[in-house]
């Protein structure tokens, strides 16, 4: 039997990180021909990840233009992917997560009657508007997916409650853990000498990231004010803030932080550098979804700057706390990690519920079963 042609379509850096182990597993299997396609939703960041993992996309749709609307992105993705599907005629399409690329590519594949495989299926926040538009994107994608690759048992439970057939769900663990373990071993050097110098002391480091659309404006100013207060109250700590390129993020962050000696605001980091920074940090404040999964895998407590999360497993486990964007709450929760060693240890030593580094292997096996050439492996359990 000739290898099945599997097209993996991705557009942002988080997607690239999570599909990279899957693409490498497909490349190593005689059962599949791997066809990576990028939409270019995060063009420069995509190239960084592809280079790190040695992935060469067969096509780049380059969908992004300045000041583009969400509808404009989706329209370009659907149209661009449709042409790629006609050209390559894959046997299945893999999409990952919840971006505009995911929803648009899934619709394009469905309309050509090509099976959709959804990696990281079943995440739910319970609020259609938060995160926006991701919660809607993943729910829409679920409706047209043939094989649901859920990262955790809780994600599987969400799908079952939405009447997805159990035989169509495989719990793989999250492939971000596969990517993280591989990348941490590389110990990538920092390209910014200021960052290398900033981390050269024995002072503990707090990593801060924030970029979510729902946190723009006053909420992001509140976050930045809280970081300023913490930095002034705890000069023995150093705070590193890789800033998103969105001007609305920078206009909220820089006025609060750029004059402080123990705060370093820097450009976004390559994935390899970012994983090294997580490893060098004592704890993390973030509104990112992926960082909620990555940091606990390295024993780093995470304070999540959001009102809800589609990743509740780590909250239940105790390695993540959901604290929102209120100034007083941020200061209180971060101060507890700084001052209370027992509290810090309880979060740092909690069980990571997201993966064991074998998600790509389980995914490849699930695809073999889907095409009738093998059997799935035992579902991931923490």
């Amino acid at each position: 039997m000739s290898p099945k042609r599997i097209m993996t379509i991705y557009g942002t850096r988080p997607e690239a990180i999570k599909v990279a182990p899957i693409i490498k597993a497909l490349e190593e299997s005689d059962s599949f021909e791997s066809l990576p396609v990028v939409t270019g939703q995060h063009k420069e960041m995509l190239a960084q990840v592809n280079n790190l993992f040695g992935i060469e996309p067969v096509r780049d749709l380059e969908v992004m233009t300045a000041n583009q609307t969400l509808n404009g992105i989706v329209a370009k993705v659907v149209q661009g992917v449709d042409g790629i599907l006609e050209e390559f005629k894959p046997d299945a399409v893999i999409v990952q997560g919840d971006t505009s690329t995911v929803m648009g590519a899934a619709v394009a594949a469905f309309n050509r009657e090509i099976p959709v495989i959804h990696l990281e299926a079943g995440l739910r926040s319970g609020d259609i508007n938060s995160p926006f538009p991701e919660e809607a994107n993943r729910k829409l994608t679920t409706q047209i997916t043939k094989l649901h690759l859920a990262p955790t048992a809780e994600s599987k439970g969400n799908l079952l409650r939405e009447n997805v057939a159990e035989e169509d769900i495989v719990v793989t663990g999250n492939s971000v853990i596969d990517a993280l373990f591989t990348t941490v071993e590389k110990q990538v050097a920092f390209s910014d000498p200021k960052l290398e110098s900033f981390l050269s002391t024995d002072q503990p480091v707090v990593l801060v990231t924030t970029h979510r659309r729902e946190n723009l404006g006053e909420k992001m100013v509140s976050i930045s004010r809280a970081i300023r207060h913490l930095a002034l109250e705890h000069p023995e700590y150093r705070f590193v803030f890789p800033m998103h390129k969105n001007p609305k993020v920078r206009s909220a962050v820089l006025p609060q932080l750029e004059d402080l000696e123990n705060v370093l605001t820097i450009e976004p980091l390559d994935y390899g550098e970012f994983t090294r920074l997580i490893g060098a940090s004592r704890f993390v404040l973030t509104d990112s979804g992926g960082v909620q999964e990555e940091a606990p895998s390295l024993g780093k407590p995470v304070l999540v700057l959001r009102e809800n999360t589609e990743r509740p497993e780590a909250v239940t486990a105790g390695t993540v706390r959901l604290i929102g964007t209120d100034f007083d709450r941020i200061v209180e929760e971060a101060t507890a990690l700084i001052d209370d060693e027992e509290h810090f240890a309880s979060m740092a030593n909690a069980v990571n519920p997201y993966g064991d580094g074998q998600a790509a292997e389980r995914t490849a096996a699930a695809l073999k079963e889907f095409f009738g050439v093998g059997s799935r492996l035992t579902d991931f359990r923490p």
Side-chain angles (χ1 to χ4, degrees), residues 27-317:
E27 290 176 352
E28 293 168 3
S29 173
D30 294 335
S31 300
F32 305 113
E33 178 186 353
S34 178
L35 301 169
V37 170
V38 297
T39 63
Q41 203 174 327
H42 287 175
K43 188 170 180 61
E44 292 179 6
M45 294 181 175
L46 274 176
Q48 296 166 4
V49 178
N50 286 334
N51 291 337
L52 180 66
F53 287 95
I55 295 170
E56 295 185 15
V58 295
R59 291 289 184 275
D60 183 346
L61 300 180
E62 300 183 333
V63 300
M64 288 304 290
T65 56
N67 302 315
Q68 191 162 226
T69 65
L70 287 173
N71 284 335
I73 295 171
V74 173
K76 283 187 175 181
V77 169
V78 173
Q79 184 174 23
V81 168
D82 188 58
I84 299 296
L85 298 177
E86 172 65 23
E87 178 183 358
F88 287 95
K89 296 180 171 54
D91 295 296
V93 165
I94 295 176
V95 293
Q96 188 283 320
D98 49 28
T99 66
S100 297
T101 285
V102 171
M103 188 264 283
V107 168
F110 176 79
N111 286 343
R112 282 192 173 267
E113 299 183 281
I114 298 170
V116 175
I117 315 296
H118 190 193
L119 183 66
E120 200 180 61
L123 274 65
R124 298 291 185 268
S125 73
D127 181 350
I128 197 70
N129 294 310
S130 179
F132 179 87
E134 288 85 356
E135 180 77 356
N137 286 340
R138 52 188 169 234
K139 294 188 74 172
L140 290 167
T141 301
T142 292
Q143 304 309 307
I144 53 178
T145 291
K146 289 289 188 184
L147 178 61
H148 306 258
L149 303 175
T152 66
E154 185 153 346
S155 298
K156 176 181 178 178
N158 292 335
L159 294 169
L160 292 174
R161 284 187 288 275
E162 294 174 8
N163 297 316
V164 174
E166 186 164 13
E167 61 266 26
D168 296 335
I169 307 170
V170 179
V171 180
T172 61
N174 201 306
S175 58
V176 75
I177 309 304
D178 300 39
L180 179 69
F181 288 167
T182 299
T183 307
V184 166
E185 291 178 357
K186 298 177 185 293
Q187 279 295 298
V188 175
F190 292 123
S191 57
D192 185 344
K194 290 186 298 183
L195 178 57
E196 192 74 63
S197 175
F198 200 72
L199 299 179
S200 64
T201 73
D202 293 331
Q203 292 176 267
V205 172
V206 178
L207 169 61
V208 185
T209 77
T210 179
H211 71 282
R212 297 222 65 86
R213 188 177 279 105
E214 60 267 28
N215 279 348
L216 295 177
E218 286 304 313
K219 290 182 178 180
M220 198 155 292
V221 172
S222 176
I223 293 168
S224 302
R225 287 180 56 242
I227 302 305
R228 180 180 183 85
H229 178 87
L230 289 164
L232 291 171
E233 288 293 310
H234 299 278
E236 76 278 13
Y237 268 71
R238 294 193 161 201
F239 296 78
V240 180
F241 200 141
M243 292 183 299
H244 197 278
K245 289 185 177 294
N246 187 333
K248 292 181 180 179
V249 173
R250 299 188 174 207
S251 65
V253 170
L254 287 174
Q256 301 294 331
L257 302 179
E258 61 184 345
D259 64 326
L260 300 177
E261 290 186 3
N262 62 331
V263 177
L264 182 63
T265 54
I266 57 175
E267 293 299 310
L269 296 172
D270 291 0
Y271 178 64
E273 296 182 49
F274 188 70
T275 60
R276 183 182 165 198
L277 179 55
I278 295 175
S281 301
R282 182 160 172 83
F283 64 90
V284 179
L285 291 100
T286 186
D287 63 8
S288 164
V291 178
Q292 293 177 52
E293 299 157 344
E294 292 162 331
S297 299
L298 300 178
K300 310 300 178 180
V302 182
L303 301 178
V304 180
L305 304 167
R306 289 165 58 175
E307 304 301 330
N308 54 45
T309 180
E310 64 279 26
R311 294 169 171 86
E313 295 89 347
V315 177
T316 302

Side-chain angles (χ1 to χ4, degrees), residues 8 18 90 374:
T8 306
K18 293 181 178 183

